[in-house]
Amino acid sequence: MAKYQKNEADLAALKAVLGENLKEDEPIARHTSWRIGGPADYFLRATDEAELVVLLKTCRSRNIPFLIIGNGSNMLVADKGWRGMVVENRLDAFTVNDLGDGRCLLKAGSGALLGALSRRIAKLGWSGFEFAATIPGSVGGGIVSNAGAHGGDFSKVLRRVAVANANGELDILPAEKLELSYRDSRWREQVGNNKVPLGNLGNELILWAEFELQQGDPAAIKQHIDEMTDWRRKNQPQEPSGGSVFKNPPAPFGSAGSLIEKAGLKGHVIGGAQISPRHANFIINLGEAKAQDVIDLINLARKTVKEQFGADIEPEVEMLGEFD
Ligand SMILES: Cc1cc2nc3c(=O)[nH]c(=O)nc-3n(C[C@H](O)[C@H](O)[C@H](O)COP(=O)(O)OP(=O)(O)OC[C@H]3O[C@@H](n4cnc5c(N)ncnc54)[C@H](O)[C@@H]3O)c2cc1C
């Protein structure tokens, strides 16, 4: 498929839908946790579900490649950026339906940020979502990778999601249909513009999600969240990063971080990026890192670990946009 090129006709069509909310040539680095990523041809910070669905249909009908970003904490975006439309999702409203039997159903917009949502739910005395408090992502991004921490993950509490497909048709999917497993879901099959020329338009867009939670003691839940937050601060790098870069390989190899450390790569620098001296499965941005610096470190780590230990370590983060 030919590379997409920004053009006046598409710009006019997008302006007709989005008006002044449409931005051009927005640096994606402003919207990723790595602080890396070149410009998006067209950009929207979405706060309105109806507007987002109309935008999806417009992009589909005009073959404009579409990328949705939650909190940009699980993606490496190319230095050349994204040709087409990028949406930062801030559909973050939530409601709690008390079932009256010690359980509730939490319905949250897919753009809700996990830390803030988790703390607000904790204050209301609902337990089960604490695991997400220290994951710097959104509800939508969390479902895509079945994010998890401290023994919890999305598959344990998610009941159903509402999605819009590329034609703008809405559907409700029960959690059993989402193929949630270790850092994986039905969305991960196709992500990345290498496999899907129209970006995320090959997949459904998650609009909201419903979780089943249990009644708990607000003070105890808060204490648990505070302890997990402290643990992160002490054990993980605080510089801009994409979190764990590699999935852990299957037994008997041990964690990806320990393999990279044993291979002697902890602290290794390429350009403006470094394998964190604190945690070898993190690559940090020292200030001016390029996506290519990170790619070079990823390739070096994979090659060295394979040569020294025979283990294949697969990236957990997604590479998106216009790489050479
Ligand atoms: C410091 C740090 C610590 C981390 N710790 C953890 C951890 O403990 N556990 C863990 O699992 N992960 C962790 N991560 C990784 C990351 O935070 C999670 O994967 C998170 O759930 C990603 O959410 P996001 O909104 O940032 O996704 P994004 O990076 O914005 O998006 C990821 C993918 O999901 C797609 N997507 C996003 N929203 C939608 C939607 N509404 N509909 C359809 N597709 C969508 C995007 O297009 C992209 O393909 C960490 C990351 C960092 C930077």
Side-chain angles (χ1 to χ4, degrees):
M1 180 153 174
K3 197 170 105 177
Y4 177 78
Q5 283 203 328
K6 185 177 176 182
N7 61 75
E8 288 303 319
D10 284 346
L11 186 59
L14 292 170
K15 272 192 181 151
V17 174
L18 303 176
E20 292 187 350
N21 293 338
L22 180 72
K23 286 189 182 179
E24 290 176 67
D25 304 321
E26 170 77 2
I28 301 175
R30 290 184 188 157
H31 307 279
T32 63
S33 59
W34 242 316
R35 302 282 169 260
I36 290 175
D41 289 337
Y42 321 110
F43 179 87
L44 171 74
R45 187 173 201 271
T47 54
D48 182 299
E49 186 178 307
E51 181 185 60
L52 182 55
V53 172
V54 174
L55 174 64
L56 257 180
K57 287 188 204 173
T58 307
C59 290
R60 172 65 165 215
S61 68
R62 303 188 70 87
N63 283 350
I64 302 172
F66 182 96
L67 171 66
I68 188 146
I69 295 182
N71 206 31
S73 65
N74 205 29
M75 54 171 66
L76 179 65
V77 178
D79 298 317
K80 288 184 187 165
W82 179 268
R83 303 287 64 80
M85 181 80 219
V86 174
V87 171
E88 181 181 56
N89 178 7
R90 284 297 166 269
L91 304 178
D92 60 1
F94 74 89
T95 57
V96 175
N97 176 12
D98 188 340
L99 297 177
D101 60 0
R103 297 175 304 144
C104 80
L105 293 176
L106 162 68
K107 181 180 163 193
S110 56
L113 297 180
L114 298 174
L117 180 63
S118 180
R119 284 189 179 269
R120 290 181 71 183
I121 294 304
K123 262 193 194 160
L124 298 174
W126 295 109
S127 173
F129 209 65
E130 298 88 301
F131 77 90
T134 57
I135 301 176
S138 67
V139 165
I143 293 168
V144 166
S145 66
N146 185 27
H150 303 280
D153 67 30
F154 273 76
S155 71
K156 298 202 168 89
V157 285
L158 186 63
R159 291 296 165 260
R160 56 184 191 148
V161 298
V163 297
N165 69 21
N167 297 319
E169 291 150 358
L170 304 186
D171 203 358
I172 306 267
L173 304 173
E176 302 78 60
K177 286 203 169 166
L178 307 184
E179 298 162 35
L180 300 174
S181 61
Y182 173 59
R183 302 299 169 265
D184 208 0
S185 72
R186 67 192 262 154
W187 281 272
R188 293 280 243 181
E189 277 293 295
Q190 294 186 312
V191 287
N193 60 340
N194 294 334
K195 291 183 190 159
V196 183
L198 291 182
N200 297 56
L201 284 178
N203 303 317
E204 305 103 341
L205 198 79
I206 303 164
L207 295 173
W208 54 259
E210 195 171 70
F211 305 92
E212 186 182 313
L213 306 178
Q214 316 291 326
Q215 218 150 33
D217 168 31
I221 303 169
K222 180 178 180 304
Q223 190 185 343
H224 186 198
I225 291 178
D226 288 345
E227 283 166 9
M228 291 188 289
T229 308
D230 270 1
W231 183 90
R232 288 254 179 191
R233 219 173 278 135
K234 288 185 188 130
N235 292 287
Q236 291 189 347
Q238 301 302 301
E239 297 88 348
S241 78
S244 294
V245 174
F246 297 101
K247 294 185 191 183
N248 291 324
F253 290 111
S255 72
S258 67
L259 291 170
I260 297 167
E261 184 170 350
K262 277 190 227 151
L265 291 173
K266 220 176 184 186
H268 194 90
V269 175
I270 295 184
Q274 181 182 36
I275 295 183
S276 167
R278 202 160 176 193
H279 190 313
N281 200 11
F282 280 59
I283 294 178
I284 57 174
N285 180 350
L286 296 171
E288 303 290 328
K290 299 282 173 214
Q292 193 56 49
D293 301 336
V294 176
I295 296 277
D296 291 346
L297 280 175
I298 287 175
N299 290 339
L300 177 69
R302 294 185 82 175
K303 183 169 168 283
T304 314
V305 164
K306 178 74 179 172
E307 280 169 5
Q308 292 197 15
F309 310 108
D312 288 306
I313 47 173
E314 299 290 331
E316 179 183 329
V317 293
E318 291 168 23
M319 283 97 185
L320 295 163
E322 203 184 357
F323 284 101
D324 289 326

